[in-house]
């Protein structure tokens, strides 16, 4: 699809509606719910800092029913990713190369992923600590599963699912489509970053700021390299450390969250 074709109002309108539908079925929907939840939190009788935001919560009392719900949640959360890839496949070229999720550069992708995880993770811990001291975040519980044999594998799968969903939709797909719609570079980066921050609002305002900053870095990286895979690797590493670390290490080590 050429720039000249995209200047036609009908084509641009179709792409704009497509973006809204993809986001409405995925992380845009999550952002709306997160906005409602943060309003509910700040207007509650209990201060935000005394409230809890639990990730990866238990969904059933019976262990194998809980496992079933966990796996189904992970599976269906990835369907918007397949939809986005399917829609990008209508454009000329291979969507895997458009998104930069092919395996042509495993070494550099792994190196960049590890570097980005360190770049985001260490300052992120400091930001979470500061937000906790200021009382602008809820207490975050990264893993609320019971100590069962399948808990750690499910947490790792959840980390991968989060990374694939967020980086493909919020960076690869959204940035690609907004650039095709001829948005200015600054507006593209801001849209991606604000969306990322918005669906983390349920955790508090510190989480919004931290994830928005992460969104700026990740979208700029994609615009420069056209590679989403390093972002998926970085995000997976961050979430695995948070989820599995919380599940396995003593709780008092995470009291500052």
């Amino acid at each position: 699809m050429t720039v000249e074709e995209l200047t036609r109002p009908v084509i641009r309108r179709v792409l704009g509606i497509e973006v809204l539908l993809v986001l409405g079925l995925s992380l845009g929907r999550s952002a709306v719910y997160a906005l409602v939840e943060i309003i509910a939190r700040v207007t509650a009788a209990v201060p935000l800092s005394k409230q809890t935001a639990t990730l990866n919560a238990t969904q059933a009392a019976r262990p194998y029913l809980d496992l079933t719900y966990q796996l189904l949640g992970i599976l269906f959360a990835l369907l918007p990713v397949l939809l986005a890839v399917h829609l990008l496949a209508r454009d000329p070229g291979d969507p895997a190369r458009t998104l930069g999720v092919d395996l042509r550069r495993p070494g550099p992708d792994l190196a960049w992923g590890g570097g980005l995880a360190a770049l985001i993770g260490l300052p992120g811990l400091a930001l979470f600590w500061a937000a906790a001291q200021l009382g602008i975040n809820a207490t975050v519980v990264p893993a609320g599963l019971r100590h069962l044999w399948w808990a750690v594998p499910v947490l790792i799968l959840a980390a991968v699912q989060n990374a694939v969903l967020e980086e493909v939709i919020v960076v690869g797909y959204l940035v690609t489509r907004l650039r095709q719609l001829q948005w200015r570079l600054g507006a593209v980066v801001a849209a991606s970053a604000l969306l990322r921050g918005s669906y983390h609002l349920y955790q508090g305002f510190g989480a919004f700021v931290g994830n928005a900053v992460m969104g700026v870095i990740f979208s700029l990286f994609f615009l420069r390299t056209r590679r989403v895979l390093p972002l998926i690797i970085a995000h997976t590493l961050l979430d695995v450390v948070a989820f599995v670390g919380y599940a396995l290490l003593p709780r008092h080590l995470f009291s500052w969250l």
Side-chain angles (χ1 to χ4, degrees):
M1 191 175 296
T2 66
V3 172
E4 288 74 21
E5 289 174 321
L6 285 169
T7 58
R8 293 186 297 175
V10 173
I11 299 298
R12 297 187 68 185
R13 184 165 62 250
V14 167
L15 280 187
I17 293 172
E18 177 197 293
V19 169
L20 292 176
L21 289 174
V22 170
L23 294 182
L25 292 170
S26 57
L27 293 165
R29 173 179 176 271
S30 299
V32 172
Y33 275 103
L35 178 59
V36 173
E37 186 163 354
I38 193 62
I39 292 173
R41 286 185 182 276
V42 299
T43 55
V46 180
L48 179 59
S49 60
K50 301 298 182 182
Q51 300 178 40
T52 301
T54 302
L55 288 63
N56 305 299
T58 296
Q59 298 185 39
R62 287 177 285 174
Y64 283 95
L65 184 59
D66 189 14
L67 174 60
T68 301
Y69 280 131
Q70 300 293 339
L71 294 177
L72 287 175
I74 291 168
L75 173 65
F76 285 110
L78 290 174
L79 289 183
V81 174
L82 298 179
L83 174 61
V85 172
H86 171 73
L87 293 170
L88 288 173
R90 299 178 306 172
D91 298 353
D94 181 2
R97 291 210 172 199
T98 299
L99 292 170
V101 294
D102 53 76
L103 301 177
R104 290 177 298 131
R105 303 172 50 191
D109 286 342
L110 283 169
W112 275 112
L116 286 168
L119 175 66
I120 297 296
L122 297 177
L125 291 175
L127 180 60
F128 260 89
W129 178 85
Q133 303 309 304
L134 293 171
I136 59 173
N137 252 23
T139 298
V140 178
V141 178
L145 299 179
R146 289 165 293 179
H147 294 286
L148 298 167
W149 67 265
W150 49 261
V152 169
V154 164
L155 290 173
I156 293 172
L157 287 175
V160 175
Q161 174 251 295
N162 286 344
V164 172
L165 174 65
E166 295 186 36
E167 304 316 326
V168 171
I169 297 292
V170 180
V171 180
Y173 170 79
L174 183 61
V175 169
T176 297
R177 281 296 190 239
L178 293 183
R179 290 297 284 166
Q180 288 177 330
L181 288 167
Q182 299 179 313
W183 280 40
R184 294 182 181 276
L185 182 61
V188 171
V189 172
S192 179
L194 289 174
L195 175 59
R196 186 187 297 267
S198 296
Y199 57 76
H200 287 93
L201 262 173
Y202 69 95
Q203 299 175 20
F205 299 104
F208 170 82
V209 173
N211 281 280
V213 172
M214 176 178 172
V216 171
I217 295 170
F218 276 23
S219 56
L220 288 174
F221 179 89
F222 177 71
L223 283 165
R224 182 175 181 83
T225 66
R226 307 302 300 183
R227 302 290 297 171
V228 164
L229 188 54
L231 307 181
I232 293 174
I233 292 169
H235 195 148
T236 299
L237 290 173
L238 291 169
D239 279 5
V240 166
V241 170
F243 298 168
V244 177
Y246 188 90
L248 297 181
L249 295 175
R251 290 290 186 269
H252 71 269
L253 298 177
F254 300 91
S255 59
W256 54 274
L257 286 174

